[in-house]
Amino acid sequence: MKSCRNVFSFSVLFLFTIAYAQNNVLRLQIDSLAMLKNADIGAAIYHFEKNDSVTWNGHKHYPMQSVFKFHLALAVFQKIDKGKLSIDQKIFITKKDLLPNTWSPLRNKYPDGNVALPLSDLLHYTVSQSDNNGCDILFRLIGGTETAESFIKDKGIRDISIKATEEEMHKAWDIQFTNWTTPYAAVQLLEKFYRGNILSQNSRDSLWKIMIETSTGPKKIKGQLPVGTIVGHKTGSSGTNQKGITAAENDIGIVTLPNGEHFAIAVFVSQSKESQETNEKIIADITKLAWDYFVSTTH
């Protein structure tokens, strides 16, 4: 799991110019942190304005869990941009849509279904609150997981697989591994999204607002950042199986620095025998290392 400890270039995709000696400091800090954990850790960090970047296991496949709801939301907003869906259109939700035994604030509020909600609300439930039922309703709306995967790949993000819905992932532990990304690909996608290279300006701004309002995973990327820091992110978590293994404790997002600059970060903690608290702290610690590094090098 200690392979691929490399500072990388995003090549022509982002026209990077990398200060290797400087980034090596941050990489070594991440190295020291990760070596002490009984977990498979993958991370990628990219400062948009400085074109500074670093990865750890950046090209390794990690199960996404609910991180893929960001990818799904991009696919939904793309259909809105094309006029195939409307942000205000009402989506009728039946009780059959609201599966039990899954994370669903939507079901908790409307236990009997029989309600028509605007697509904007469903997107908020799915991304900001990581609602599993909302997620699968959106998958059905756009034509399935293959539609989301194809859309992301069409945008130049090749190291991605979206095969299973939330309902399907709940059927067996191993199914979650069919939904994977690399840390490198996750940061690529965040960068393309933030720069407006995927969605219209209105859709980009709407999704960014939803991501800023994310209420899940407060101890992950945001865990050690100063109060009030603007962070748009999407979390993912598998829970822990009977063997005490956590397949996925993840967070990807974009952090706004005090000077108004930004960095994207993706941290995936997989096959972990650590506690949930420790897994979340790994994400928070790596984010804080990046924050401190970029703040200290700001001129």
Side-chain angles (χ1 to χ4, degrees):
M1 75 181 182
K2 302 300 185 294
S3 62
C4 301
R5 305 180 203 175
N6 64 304
V7 179
F8 65 88
S9 167
F10 278 102
S11 67
V12 294
L13 290 175
F14 304 124
L15 302 178
F16 277 11
T17 54
I18 299 178
Y20 285 98
Q22 292 179 0
N23 280 323
N24 193 52
V25 172
L26 179 55
R27 181 182 62 82
L28 289 174
Q29 289 176 325
I30 296 173
D31 181 275
S32 297
L33 184 153
M35 286 176 62
L36 299 175
K37 306 304 179 185
N38 194 350
D40 181 357
I41 299 168
I45 301 163
Y46 169 45
H47 188 297
F48 294 167
E49 291 80 13
K50 292 180 180 294
N51 290 333
D52 279 351
S53 59
V54 62
T55 63
W56 169 282
N57 288 331
H59 293 281
K60 190 170 183 178
H61 296 182
Y62 288 93
M64 287 191 284
Q65 276 289 336
S66 288
V67 163
F68 79 158
K69 292 169 184 171
F70 169 60
H71 304 67
L72 168 60
L74 288 172
V76 173
F77 272 109
Q78 185 258 357
K79 287 190 175 293
I80 292 171
D81 286 342
K82 288 192 170 183
K84 296 181 179 180
L85 295 172
S86 167
I87 193 70
D88 298 318
Q89 77 180 78
K90 294 297 182 67
I91 308 298
F92 187 76
I93 299 168
T94 69
K95 188 169 185 176
K96 186 178 179 181
D97 293 321
L98 302 175
L99 301 180
N101 303 318
T102 192
W103 173 256
S104 183
L106 176 63
R107 182 199 59 236
N108 293 344
K109 186 169 183 178
Y110 304 103
D112 297 319
N114 195 32
V115 61
L117 296 180
L119 180 54
S120 57
D121 283 8
L122 202 54
L123 282 160
H124 193 278
Y125 272 110
T126 299
V127 179
S128 293
Q129 300 185 53
S130 205
D131 194 288
N132 292 337
N133 285 320
C135 172
D136 287 355
I137 292 169
L138 290 180
F139 271 130
R140 290 191 288 272
L141 185 66
I142 67 169
T145 55
E146 61 276 11
T147 300
E149 180 184 299
S150 295
F151 170 66
I152 299 300
K153 288 185 173 180
D154 285 346
K155 294 302 178 180
I157 309 299
R158 309 303 300 175
D159 287 333
I160 181 77
S161 175
I162 303 174
K163 305 299 184 187
T165 63
E166 285 287 354
E167 181 180 4
E168 290 166 339
M169 281 198 291
H170 277 70
K171 291 179 179 179
W173 179 259
D174 288 344
I175 294 176
Q176 68 184 296
F177 296 98
T178 64
N179 293 334
W180 58 262
T181 188
T182 66
Y184 173 83
V187 168
Q188 277 186 299
L189 186 61
L190 287 166
E191 193 268 354
K192 284 178 174 283
F193 157 70
Y194 193 78
R195 293 198 191 279
N197 295 330
I198 297 180
L199 303 175
S200 69
Q201 188 66 43
N202 283 341
S203 290
R204 178 262 185 209
D205 291 349
S206 294
L207 181 51
W208 177 238
K209 182 176 184 293
I210 292 172
M211 293 172 70
I212 290 173
E213 294 171 351
T214 291
S215 58
T216 58
K219 296 181 180 180
K220 296 183 181 183
I221 285 177
K222 298 179 71 173
Q224 297 180 39
L225 299 181
V227 175
T229 299
I230 297 174
V231 178
H233 66 125
K234 184 67 202 80
T235 59
S237 180
S238 67
T240 304
N241 67 15
Q242 294 180 344
K243 297 180 179 179
I245 296 174
T246 300
E249 199 67 72
N250 310 327
D251 205 358
I252 71 169
I254 298 167
V255 178
T256 305
L257 290 159
N259 66 350
E261 295 179 347
H262 307 84
F263 68 89
I265 183 167
V267 184
F268 297 87
V269 182
S270 187
Q271 301 302 325
S272 178
K273 294 184 179 179
E274 306 284 357
S275 66
Q276 180 180 350
E277 181 181 8
T278 298
N279 292 332
E280 292 181 336
K281 190 174 185 298
I282 290 169
I283 298 171
D285 285 344
I286 292 175
T287 305
K288 187 60 162 53
L289 287 174
W291 172 275
D292 289 345
Y293 170 76
F294 290 131
V295 168
S296 70
T297 56
T298 296
H299 299 292

